[in-house]
C-alpha cells in the first residue's frame, strides 16, 4: 500500500450543490465505499436509498449552534490529515479512535449566490462556510493519501479514475484535485473579502486578492509564443465572459480583448448603435433613431474607415436583424456580438461559418461600479471602471458661440466614443456617426491630424470631393495643452469642440476657438484610456 495509489474505503460528502449527488453516492456505495455525510446531503442520500452514516453518529458529537459546528471535530480532521505512512500518526489514530477518511467531496455554502440575490448582512454572514474550507484545506494538504473533489463536474472524472486505478486514485490525480481545491478556497475567501470591503465602502483595501475560474485555454496569447487562458471572475457582467457562441472558430486572446472593447462601447448609447473595432480601437461608430435603421447605421460606421474595418469586430446594442447581417457578411469580420440575434440573421451569418457569433442576452451597464486590474512588474494597479457618463446638463459653454442642438447631440456622441479610444484620442463626428478617429498618439496634435486625414481618406473612398470632417464636431479625451490641436480640427472643418478643460492655457484655447468661430464646451471629466 503506497502513496502512489491509495484505495478509497471511506468518503465524507457535504455539499450545498446537490447536482449529481445521487449518482455519485450510488457509484461509491457499489464500490463498497462507506459514506459519511451531514445535514441535507445525508438526507438526500438516505432518501435515495444509499447507505449513509451521519457525521454526528461518526464523531459521537451532535451538530450545534444552528449547524455552525458539525465537522469541526478531531475524528473528521484527524481522519483527513493523518499520514498513512507515519507510525506516530497511526498510533494517534489508534489511541483516539480516528478512522481514515480517504475521499472528501465538499462544495461550499453559496455565499456569492446569496450576495448576488440581494441577501442582507445577516444572510450573507450565515452563508460564509467555515467547516467546509477547513476540511478542504486539510484534505488537499494530505493529498499524498486523500482525494478531494469540490466540483460536481469532476464526479465523472473521479469515478473513472477509481475504476482505472482499481478503486483508488493516482498521486497525479490527487495533486490535480488539491490544486483545484486551493484555487477554489482562495476564490471563496476572496469573494468574502471583496464583499466586506464593499460593505465598508472600501473598494481598495490594504490586501487585495484576484481569483477566477478558467473558461478557456487559448491557443496562444497576443502572439504565438505566449501562453494564455480566459478566466471569469467577480460578479457576472454581460459580455464575452457570459455570451453564448452560436458559430465560428474558437475565440483568440485578441478576439476576446477586442470584442470586450466593442461591446462596452456600444453599451454607452441609449439609441441603437453599431461599432466596428480593430486592435481595441474603433474604426467607426454610428447610432440610429430606431432599430429598423441598424443596417444604415452599419453603413455609416463602415464609411468612417472601410480599410481598417476589414477583419474587425462588430458590436451592436440591439438585436441583430437579417438586413444588417446581410450587410455585415459582405465584409470579412472576425466576431459579431449582440444582445440578441434573430433566427433570420443567424441564417444569413451561417453562410460565413468562420465568423464567430456571440449572443449575450443583455448589455453591460456603463454606469455600474467595478474594478480594472493591470499587471506591472512586481505588482498590479487597481482602479475604478471609468463609469462617467456625460450628459447635456454637464456641459459648460465657454465660447462666444454656443453649440446648436444638433451639435450638442454630436458632441456627446463623439465624447462617448472618445472614452473608448486609446489616448491621446481625437474623434470627429457628424449626424450620429464617426467620420475620423485619431488614436494612441504621443502628441494630441498628431491624433487630431490623423483623424482629419482619416476623414479625408474616407471621403475619397466614398467618392466625395469634400472631407467628411467638414461640418463635423470634434471630441478630445483630455484637454488641449496648446491651441495647435484645436486649430488642426478647425482647419479640417470642425465647427464645435468638446473637451474636459483644466489646462493652464484654457484661456488661450478658448480665445483660439473664438477666433476660429468654433463653439466649445467643457465636461470637467477626462477619459484617458491606456
Amino acid at each position: 500500500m503506497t502513496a502512489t495509489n491509495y484505495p478509497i474505503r471511506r468518503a465524507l460528502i457535504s455539499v450545498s450543490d446537490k447536482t449529481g449527488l445521487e449518482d455519485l453516492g450510488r457509484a461509491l456505495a457499489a464500490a463498497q465505499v462507506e459514506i459519511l455525510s451531514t445535514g441535507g446531503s445525508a438526507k438526500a442520500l438516505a432518501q435515495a436509498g444509499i447507505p449513509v452514516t451521519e457525521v454526528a453518529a461518526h464523531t459521537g458529537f451532535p451538530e450545534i449552534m444552528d449547524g455552525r459546528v458539525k465537522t469541526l471535530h478531531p475524528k473528521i480532521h484527524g481522519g483527513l490529515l493523518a499520514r498513512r505512512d507515519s507510525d506516530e500518526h497511526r498510533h494517534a489514530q489508534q489511541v483516539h479512535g480516528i478512522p481514515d477518511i480517504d475521499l472528501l467531496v465538499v462544495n461550499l455554502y453559496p455565499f456569492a449566490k446569496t450576495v448576488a440575490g440581494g441577501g442582507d448582512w445577516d444572510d450573507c454572514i450565515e452563508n460564509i462556510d467555515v467547516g467546509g474550507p477547513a476540511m478542504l484545506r486539510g484534505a488537499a494538504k494530505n493529498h499524498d493519501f486523500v482525494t478531494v473533489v469540490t466540483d460536481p463536474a469532476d464526479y465523472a472524472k473521479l469515478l473513472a479514475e477509481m475504476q482505472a486505478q482499481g478503486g483508488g486514485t493516482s498521486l497525479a490525480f490527487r495533486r490535480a484535485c488539491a490544486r483545484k481545491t486551493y484555487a477554489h478556497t482562495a476564490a471563496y475567501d476572496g469573494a468574502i473579502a471583496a464583499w466586506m470591503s464593499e460593505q465598508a465602502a472600501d473598494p481598495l483595501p490594504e490586501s487585495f486578492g484576484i481569483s477566477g475560474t478558467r473558461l478557456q485555454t487559448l491557443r496562444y496569447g497576443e502572439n504565438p509564443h505566449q501562453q494564455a487562458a480566459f478566466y471569469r471572475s467577480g460578479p457576472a457582467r454581460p459580455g464575452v465572459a457570459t455570451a453564448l457562441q452560436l458559430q465560428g472558430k474558437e475565440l483568440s486572446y485578441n478576439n476576446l480583448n477586442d470584442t470586450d472593447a466593442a461591446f462596452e462601447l456600444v453599451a454607452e448609447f441609449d439609441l441603437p448603435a453599431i461599432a466596428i473595432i480593430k486592435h481595441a480601437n474603433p474604426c467607426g461608430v454610428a447610432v440610429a433613431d430606431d432599430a429598423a435603421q441598424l443596417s444604415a447605421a452599419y453603413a455609416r460606421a463602415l464609411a468612417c474607415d472601410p480599410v481598417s474595418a476589414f477583419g474587425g469586430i462588430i458590436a451592436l446594442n440591439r438585436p441583430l436583424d437579417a438586413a444588417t447581417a446581410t450587410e455585415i457578411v459582405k465584409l470579412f469580420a472576425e466576431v459579431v456580438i449582440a444582445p440578441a440575434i434573430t433566427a433570420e440573421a443567424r441564417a444569413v451569418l451561417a453562410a460565413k461559418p468562420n465568423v464567430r457569433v456571440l449572443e449575450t442576452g443583455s448589455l453591460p451597464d456603463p454606469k455600474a461600479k467595478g474594478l480594472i486590474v493591470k499587471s506591472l512588474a512586481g505588482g498590479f494597479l487597481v482602479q475604478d471602471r471609468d463609469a462617467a457618463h456625460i450628459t447635456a446638463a454637464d456641459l459648460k459653454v465657454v465660447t462666444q458661440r454656443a453649440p446648436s442642438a444638433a451639435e450638442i447631440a454630436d458632441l456627446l456622441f463623439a465624447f462617448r466614443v472618445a472614452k473608448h479610444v486609446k489616448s491621446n484620442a481625437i474623434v470627429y463626428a457628424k449626424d450620429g456617426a464617426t467620420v475620423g478617429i485619431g488614436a494612441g498618439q504621443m502628441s494630441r496634435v498628431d491624433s487630431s491630424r490623423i483623424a482629419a486625414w482619416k476623414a479625408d481618406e474616407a471621403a475619397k473612398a466614398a467618392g466625395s470631393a469634400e472631407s467628411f470632417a467638414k461640418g463635423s464636431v470634434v471630441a478630445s479625451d483630455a484637454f488641449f495643452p496648446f491651441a495647435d490641436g484645436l486649430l488642426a480640427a478647425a482647419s479640417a472643418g470642425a465647427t464645435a469642440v468638446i473637451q474636459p478643460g483644466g489646462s493652464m492655457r484654457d484661456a488661450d484655447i478658448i480665445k483660439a476657438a473664438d477666433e476660429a468661430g468654433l463653439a466649445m464646451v467643457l465636461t470637467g471629466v477626462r477619459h484617458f484610456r491606456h
Side-chain angles (χ1 to χ4, degrees):
M1 194 177 293
T2 69
T4 301
N5 185 337
Y6 196 79
I8 294 174
R9 297 193 179 99
R10 183 176 293 106
L12 193 161
I13 302 176
S14 180
V15 292
S16 293
D17 181 354
K18 305 296 191 294
T19 303
L21 175 60
E22 290 185 19
D23 290 341
L24 175 65
R26 286 195 182 94
L28 292 176
Q32 303 300 307
V33 176
E34 179 188 349
I35 300 175
L36 309 177
S37 193
T38 61
S41 300
K43 183 178 179 181
L45 290 167
Q47 287 177 342
I50 299 167
V52 60
T53 300
E54 286 267 8
V55 162
H58 177 74
T59 62
F61 198 93
E63 294 186 12
I64 61 174
M65 300 177 183
D66 297 320
R68 282 190 169 196
V69 179
K70 52 189 174 187
T71 59
L72 298 170
H73 192 281
K75 269 200 169 183
I76 299 300
H77 289 275
L80 292 170
L81 283 163
R83 289 193 61 87
R84 281 42 162 178
D85 59 357
S86 167
D87 292 340
E88 182 182 350
H89 288 202
R90 283 310 197 191
H91 177 70
Q93 284 182 275
Q94 186 176 9
V95 169
H96 298 289
I98 300 175
D100 293 340
I101 299 174
D102 309 306
L103 169 65
L104 179 71
V105 180
V106 167
N107 54 63
L108 305 175
Y109 292 171
F111 175 80
K113 186 176 180 180
T114 303
V115 172
D120 62 20
W121 176 271
D122 289 339
D123 285 339
C124 292
I125 292 296
E126 286 307 311
N127 274 280
I128 295 176
D129 207 326
V130 176
M135 289 190 293
L136 289 174
R137 290 175 59 82
K141 176 176 180 175
N142 203 27
H143 63 263
D144 273 353
F145 309 98
V146 178
T147 306
V148 54
V149 175
T150 64
D151 186 351
D154 291 335
Y155 294 169
K157 296 178 185 176
L158 167 67
L159 296 174
E161 174 75 3
M162 289 176 64
Q163 185 174 20
Q165 299 293 331
T169 58
S170 65
L171 182 58
F173 183 82
R174 294 194 297 275
R175 283 182 174 173
C177 290
R179 289 196 302 271
K180 185 166 183 176
T181 295
Y182 282 122
H184 180 61
T185 57
Y188 192 78
D189 287 341
I192 295 167
W195 172 76
M196 295 193 81
S197 294
E198 183 180 326
Q199 299 304 302
D202 182 21
L204 301 172
E206 185 175 348
S207 293
F208 187 92
I210 304 173
S211 64
T213 301
R214 190 177 66 198
L215 296 181
Q216 181 185 354
T217 299
L218 305 172
R219 287 178 59 201
Y220 52 81
E222 283 185 290
N223 301 291
H225 61 275
Q226 294 173 268
Q227 294 184 359
F230 180 30
Y231 291 83
R232 175 186 292 160
S233 66
R237 181 174 173 85
V240 292
T242 62
L244 174 65
Q245 185 169 350
L246 302 179
Q247 69 170 55
K249 298 180 293 184
E250 184 178 276
L251 290 153
S252 71
Y253 181 100
N254 292 328
N255 290 155
L256 290 163
N257 187 58
D258 291 350
T259 303
D260 178 71
F263 202 54
E264 291 287 337
L265 193 165
V266 293
E268 292 279 355
F269 300 102
D270 297 326
L271 289 172
I274 289 185
I276 306 171
I277 295 286
K278 194 76 168 287
H279 299 299
N281 276 309
C283 307
V285 186
V287 294
D289 291 332
D290 58 64
Q293 299 176 25
L294 273 175
S295 60
Y298 170 73
R300 293 191 298 134
L302 179 61
C304 180
D305 191 350
V307 174
S308 299
F310 182 85
I313 311 294
I314 300 172
L316 303 86
N317 68 357
R318 293 293 191 278
L320 174 60
D321 56 33
T324 308
T326 299
E327 295 303 313
I328 287 173
V329 297
K330 293 177 180 178
L331 180 78
F332 169 63
E334 288 278 1
V335 182
V336 176
I337 184 170
I341 300 172
T342 68
E344 295 79 9
R346 293 187 191 193
V348 172
L349 293 168
K352 299 285 186 177
N354 287 335
V355 178
R356 302 158 177 91
V357 179
L358 304 181
E359 186 177 61
T360 65
S362 58
L363 291 164
D365 181 356
K367 293 174 278 189
K369 293 181 180 180
L371 296 177
I372 304 296
V373 180
K374 179 180 175 63
S375 64
L376 300 178
F380 54 88
L381 298 170
V382 181
Q383 65 173 343
D384 283 330
R385 180 184 292 117
D386 184 356
H389 201 70
I390 300 301
T391 67
D394 301 310
L395 303 181
K396 178 182 178 183
V397 179
V398 293
T399 47
Q400 294 172 7
R401 183 175 79 80
S404 67
E407 286 175 324
I408 288 175
D410 278 339
L411 288 168
L412 290 171
F413 167 82
F415 198 62
R416 288 183 187 170
V417 173
K419 175 181 173 181
H420 295 265
V421 177
K422 298 291 179 131
S423 187
N424 288 313
I426 294 290
V427 176
Y428 291 87
K430 182 164 58 179
D431 299 329
T434 57
V435 295
I437 299 172
Q441 298 304 304
M442 293 69 74
S443 162
R444 190 160 300 278
V445 66
D446 285 345
S447 289
S448 190
R449 289 166 178 160
I450 288 171
W453 173 75
K454 286 280 190 180
D456 292 343
E457 292 298 300
K460 291 176 185 176
S464 173
E466 186 174 77
S467 171
F468 281 172
K470 187 171 180 61
S472 68
V473 306
V474 65
S476 174
D477 64 345
F479 63 66
F480 289 99
F482 301 98
D484 51 3
L486 181 82
L487 295 176
S491 297
T495 63
V497 182
I498 185 170
Q499 56 127 330
S503 167
M504 293 176 59
R505 298 181 179 84
D506 268 356
D508 295 337
I509 306 301
I510 294 168
K511 180 181 178 183
D514 280 331
E515 290 175 350
L518 298 173
M520 187 162 67
V521 296
L522 305 184
T523 65
V525 173
R526 187 180 74 184
H527 280 316
F528 271 168
R529 184 180 181 89
H530 290 110

